[in-house]
Amino acid sequence: MPVISDPLQYNAENVYVDLRATFGRRLYLKCEGFNFAGSVKLKAAAEMVGAAERSGRLLPGSTLVESSSGNLGLALSIVAASKGYGFVCVTDTRCNAPVRAMMELYGARVHVITTPDPVTGFLGARIDYVRSLCAQDERYVWLDQYSNPGNWRAHYLRTAPALAADFPDLDVLFVGAGTTGTLMGCARYFREHRPKVCVVAVDAEGSSAFGRPAQPRLIPGLGTSVRPPLLDESYVDDVVHVSEPDTIRACHRMAADGFLFGGSTGTVASGALRWLAEHRPGKEVTALAIAPDLGERYMDTIYSKAWLNHHYAGEEWLPPHWKLDHLAEPAPSIPTV
């Protein structure tokens, strides 16, 4: 019976879902959403804050500031609340409303960027605002998840060793690419300790992380309009890109079996299944994908009838009961990158 006094003391590390019954092929999902932040980002947040404290950058009276599309911001708001720091999250209009509300509940100030930079998109505009805050007041401490080695080190030290211990016969590992912290931590670990494991990055279509031109995206989480400074492609064996309709389809397929996962998880699952069908057809391998988050914070986007009909009206892949000719409420307008 675990009894804790700090939200960072709880994280259910060893929970896996076998997706064979849903998709007809064995693929294990490592569920990273069973902690008080509801996502894998709690590990990176705790590691980066701890490193800043040890180095003397973060002192009593400091205020953390970070750019985030949602999950890391929520994780940092919990870490800041538990340690007594202020926190400012700089996000944009794609950040889910429930996540913004939770951050504010934990005492964070949330600044929403409404206009993307014409070249670097919302991410560039968010980072510009963070830099302007830090220039105004030395009490602001920017952890910079995009280049902070603590981002990948958290997964090198915790996530990857847990995977290796639970799956000694692992053949293929699929990891989503956002800041690439989770990807690089796991890829570095397996290259050093289990080099025969194939590590496949899963990115969103419209992301420029792996050199493609940036395109509009609606779902926060994976993908970026700027190449991640942490990314070292020499550790990655392959890359698969997933469209947002495929992300949504995977999420709804899993939800139909009672598993409510977030958009990032839908992207990783869809990409993993397609890669396995193309590269390991008819062959049973031990394949594992990291599920970064759960789905309750996506109820007003990928699980919303109004949102889907507004952005994907007429798509044949939508479930019949989700295709509505007349909506009882106006569809929300979600700006793109």
Side-chain angles (χ1 to χ4, degrees):
M1 180 181 69
V3 178
I4 66 172
S5 58
D6 184 324
L8 305 185
Q9 294 172 344
Y10 176 76
N11 186 65
E13 188 74 69
N14 306 107
V15 179
Y16 300 90
V17 172
D18 185 350
L19 293 178
R20 182 192 293 270
T22 301
F23 294 105
R25 172 141 195 175
R26 188 176 66 182
L27 173 67
Y28 297 106
L29 285 185
K30 185 182 192 301
C31 302
E32 289 283 356
F34 296 112
N35 56 53
F36 282 93
S39 81
V40 70
K41 292 293 189 178
L42 188 60
K43 293 177 181 177
E47 180 66 26
M48 290 189 293
V49 169
E53 290 175 327
R54 292 188 295 272
S55 71
R57 289 183 61 217
L58 194 55
L59 302 169
S62 295
T63 295
L64 295 165
V65 59
E66 187 56 86
S67 158
S68 170
S69 62
N71 281 341
L72 183 77
L74 180 55
L76 282 172
S77 70
I78 291 174
V79 175
S82 70
K83 290 178 173 287
Y85 298 117
F87 174 51
V88 178
C89 181
V90 181
T91 188
D92 60 61
T93 50
R94 295 168 302 169
C95 180
N96 295 326
V99 174
R100 297 202 300 266
M102 284 188 282
M103 285 192 281
E104 291 171 343
L105 180 64
Y106 290 124
R109 286 183 288 140
V110 180
H111 181 84
V112 180
I113 298 293
T114 58
T115 304
D117 182 275
V119 176
T120 56
F122 275 117
L123 176 57
R126 293 193 331 234
I127 291 175
D128 288 344
Y129 187 83
V130 168
R131 287 180 172 143
S132 70
L133 284 181
C134 294
Q136 295 169 20
D137 193 330
E138 63 181 11
R139 289 173 297 181
Y140 284 114
V141 176
W142 180 25
L143 296 174
D144 189 6
Q145 63 164 322
Y146 309 103
S147 61
N148 192 320
N151 190 349
W152 66 260
R153 191 179 297 117
H155 305 288
Y156 180 91
L157 296 174
R158 293 188 58 189
T159 308
L163 296 174
D166 290 337
F167 289 85
D169 59 344
L170 181 62
D171 295 304
V172 190
L173 174 65
F174 299 93
V175 189
T179 64
T180 68
T182 309
L183 172 65
M184 293 312 304
C186 292
R188 287 174 186 270
Y189 179 91
F190 280 101
R191 178 64 58 84
E192 294 176 15
H193 299 278
R194 298 265 295 279
K196 291 185 179 180
V197 173
C198 177
V199 176
V200 180
V202 183
D203 198 8
E205 284 190 2
S207 167
S208 61
F210 291 90
R212 293 188 174 189
Q215 298 292 332
R217 290 175 290 112
L218 297 173
I219 301 173
L222 300 185
T224 178
S225 55
V226 178
R227 180 181 171 85
L230 295 177
L231 177 60
D232 184 342
E233 293 182 58
S234 68
Y235 287 94
V236 179
D237 296 300
D238 204 354
V239 183
V240 59
H241 289 82
V242 177
S243 70
E244 291 192 328
D246 283 344
T247 291
I248 295 166
R249 181 190 295 112
C251 286
H252 281 265
R253 286 277 299 276
M254 290 185 287
D257 281 351
F259 294 108
L260 190 68
F261 285 110
S264 297
T265 299
T267 300
V268 175
S270 177
L273 290 161
R274 193 173 84 224
W275 189 94
L276 289 170
E278 293 174 359
H279 297 274
R280 302 292 190 273
K283 182 179 179 181
E284 279 294 342
V285 296
T286 301
L288 177 65
I290 295 179
D293 57 0
L294 301 178
E296 75 286 344
R297 61 196 60 175
Y298 293 85
M299 295 306 296
D300 60 350
T301 53
I302 60 177
Y303 293 113
S304 163
K305 297 177 184 178
W307 190 86
L308 287 176
N309 278 276
H310 179 68
H311 293 288
Y312 300 100
E315 293 284 356
E316 295 182 359
W317 52 266
L318 284 176
H321 63 286
W322 285 68
K323 296 178 183 178
L324 306 178
D325 294 328
H326 303 286
L327 301 178
E329 58 183 0
S333 177
I334 309 295
T336 61
V337 178

